[in-house]
Amino acid sequence: MAMRRGYALFSILALSLLASSVRSEETETKEFVLTLDHSNFTDTINKHDFIVVEFYAPWCGHCKQLAPEYEKAASELSSNVPPVVLAKIDASSRFRVSLLSRSSETEKQSGPASFEIKSGEDASEVVGDKKVVVVGVFPKLAGSEFDSFLATAEKLRSDYDFAHTSDAKLLPRGESVTGPVVRLFKPFDELFVDSKDFDGEALEKFVKESSIPLITVFDKDPNNHPYVIKFFDSPNTKAMFFINFTGESAETLKSKYREVATSNKGQGLSFLLGDAENSQGAFQYFGLEESQVPLIIIQTADDKKYLKTNVEVDQIGSWIKDFKDGKVSPHKKSQPVPTENNEPVKVVVGESLDDMVFNSGKNVLLEFYAPWCGHCQKLVPILDEVAVSYQSDPSVVIAKLDATANDFPRDTFDVKGFPTIYFRSASGNVVLYEGDRTKEDFISFIDKNKDTAGEPKTEDKTAEATKDEL
């Protein structure tokens, strides 16, 4: 779940960057966005070095709004070296709506997992100044350490470049070394780092941790984007600091943030520095406003979020320390609690979810919707009729929550599309509604699953199995 959310957030960041980079650009009549379907999806993905794929639905309002900006971005990025390809696929029938960024693995999966460096020319070609490369140095290309290195290279070959040599003098950057040793070259921080631990798990951990910058930068530079992916792929708690990169205090804020990141290195925290101008998608995702910049948001592995807005330089370190000491309360994305809630279908927001659902002692049918969702709009009059039918039964509540604007516990409510409807009985049994969307079917479902007269209803096997799956 954490990895899925990480890729989703990276995708949102990527799209907001693409859109902002082409606001004033004009496009030619040529269509630069590739159109994919089940017949050409795999082949197209595999033949491009870097490709961004939009999984869209024809009825999705956000998708329609994105289309012209996406086309403009495709036009501009097609001239990059290497080119960045943008594509789209109608996901309404075969795929879950999401966004995927990935690199082609076809070339990397063929041939040996580690390249042998035999000359200075080989070394210059393999060890560049803009990528991470893991190089094993061995007195002879044999033995247990060499075998362990090759095994790790085979395991991680799709994500990292590996090479090996018996002549350390061929390697750039720094003094020659005496093997066996693994030297990881990188275009950031200290430029290279060594390890002599050839235990499989230790070597894998060394590669993964050392290949992420102390501070991952999200800005317009496409060279930084692979590190953003790795940042969100990490199981660590993630601290994200969004500032105005062109602001007067930018360099002071960056310097202090690096100081804090250095003092917290190896303590389970990963750090990202984001350019606020290119991070509008992230602000929407977290329910933030640009007026709150500079801001820090921390996201834990269990998806809890902690927020500090309008941060002063001297507050960065102390606030992160307070977070680590458990002195900061979680932030909850929420619309304002309605001052009046008199319609038949009650409005639930993030801040009122506990009171209106979990602690209400009521039987609640809760719709998770998106404002732009056509299916949700068609459901409005039907749920109104259902709610009216239960006006004489105070134990039943029909409610709705805008899932794009409010946080909710995703381990309880697994919302993959809209509308998604759950029923929570007064005694706490949670059941996903999967029936037809008619007034009669909703009423039958509610009557079957609700608790009456304060007595919990015995769960049938289907409901219990559904609950276990949650």
Side-chain angles (χ1 to χ4, degrees), residues 148-166:
S148 178
F149 176 81
L150 291 184
T152 301
E154 183 66 42
K155 185 175 181 179
L156 302 180
R157 64 186 297 168
S158 64
D159 296 314
Y160 305 93
D161 291 329
F162 287 84
H164 57 272
T165 185
S166 58

Side-chain angles (χ1 to χ4, degrees), residues 117-124 170:
I117 296 174
K118 299 179 180 179
S119 65
E121 184 178 344
D122 286 344
S124 298
L170 299 175

Side-chain angles (χ1 to χ4, degrees), residues 45-57:
I45 290 292
N46 286 334
K47 82 176 182 180
H48 293 289
D49 291 328
F50 191 83
I51 182 168
V52 177
V53 182
E54 177 201 9
F55 292 74
Y56 74 95

